[in-house]
Amino acid sequence: MIDHVILTVADFGRSVPFYEQALKPLGLTDVTDFPGTDGHPHLKGFGADGRWFLWLKEGVPCPNAVHIGLVATSHAKVREFHDAAVGAGATVKTAPGPQMQYFPGYFATWVLDPDGHDIEVVNKTGQVD
């Protein structure tokens, strides 16, 4: 089980508002700061219920090295994430829809964040709304 992921982004001022807006439909509304000291970078954390698992740090991004898949509880939440992410400035990679090449019931969208990181949101339960 993965505890957390850290993405390197070029600019907190651009990326933090993007992720705040894009992740809200998934219920990931907690944002925190981890002050960098003694050589550890300053981080911004995203999560829910006091558990932060997606972290951003400023630096030189390498978006081709990372793909993140996040869970949505329904097809509607996949679409809500897509709309929120696009509204926050994401580039659409794949519009929300069935992805039968993986298996029946796989419903997902893929967007690229402001640095080009590939972010997928998927529902595998078949729950429509």
Side-chain angles (χ1 to χ4, degrees):
M1 175 179 283
I2 295 174
D3 181 70
H4 64 275
V5 173
I6 298 174
L7 292 179
T8 302
V9 299
D11 179 11
F12 275 159
R14 177 181 66 177
S15 293
V16 170
F18 170 83
Y19 279 98
E20 285 177 322
Q21 183 174 334
L23 297 175
K24 189 174 185 176
L26 302 178
L28 304 176
T29 57
D30 293 351
V31 182
T32 191
D33 286 304
F34 181 85
T37 58
D38 298 324
H40 193 290
H42 184 84
L43 302 173
K44 299 281 189 176
F46 296 84
D49 302 320
R51 183 181 175 277
W52 300 279
F53 66 91
L54 179 60
W55 295 86
L56 304 180
K57 74 174 182 175
E58 283 186 311
V60 178
C62 185
N64 291 332
V66 178
H67 168 88
I68 295 177
L70 302 171
V71 174
T73 56
S74 68
H75 294 190
K77 290 296 181 185
V78 171
R79 288 186 187 95
E80 285 179 38
F81 164 83
H82 175 268
D83 293 347
V86 169
T91 301
V92 177
K93 184 174 175 185
T94 304
Q99 302 298 324
M100 301 306 236
Q101 69 273 26
Y102 298 121
F103 62 81
Y106 200 108
F107 189 91
T109 187
W110 288 262
V111 300
L112 303 177
D113 79 357
D115 289 297
H117 293 106
D118 184 356
I119 310 298
E120 174 184 0
V121 171
V122 60
N123 173 266
K124 298 178 183 179
T125 68
Q127 180 70 34
V128 176
D129 54 15

